[in-house]
Amino acid sequence: MVRVYSLGFFILIAALVANFFASKLQLKTWYDLVYGLLRSGRYWEVLKIKDLLWLFILYPLFLGFGAVLGNFIYSKLFSS
C-alpha cells in the first residue's frame, strides 16, 4: 500500500509541475479542454497542434516519468 501511495504522490507532483510549465508556455491543459468543450462543441477548432501534442503525447509521458521516478525512489528506499 505504501508503494501505491508513493507512486500516486509522485504522479501528483509531476502533474503539478507539468501544469505549471503548460501555463508558462501558454499550452492548453486538460482543465482548459474540458471547460472549453462544455462551453462549446466547436472548441476543437481553437486548439493548435502544439496543444494536441502536449495533451495527448507529452503530458502522459510526463506523468509516466513521474511514476517511473516514484517507483525508482521507492525501490531504493524500501529494497530488501
Side-chain angles (χ1 to χ4, degrees):
M1 190 58 117
V2 174
R3 181 177 180 271
V4 172
Y5 176 79
S6 65
L7 288 177
F9 181 77
F10 276 93
I11 292 171
L12 173 64
I13 297 301
L16 291 172
V17 170
N19 284 326
F20 173 76
F21 283 120
S23 68
K24 293 296 179 190
L25 297 172
Q26 297 179 346
L27 297 168
K28 301 285 189 230
T29 63
W30 283 104
Y31 307 110
D32 297 328
L33 178 65
V34 170
Y35 182 72
L37 289 174
L38 289 175
R39 292 188 65 212
S40 169
R42 298 178 60 110
Y43 189 73
W44 289 106
E45 297 170 2
V46 175
L47 296 174
K48 298 176 180 155
I49 190 73
K50 68 176 186 165
D51 297 320
L52 295 172
L53 287 172
W54 167 252
L55 288 171
F56 292 101
I57 296 176
L58 297 175
Y59 188 76
L61 283 173
F62 204 84
L63 296 183
F65 175 72
V68 169
L69 180 63
N71 191 44
F72 177 76
I73 291 174
Y74 175 83
S75 67
K76 292 298 179 188
L77 289 176
F78 297 105
S79 64
S80 51

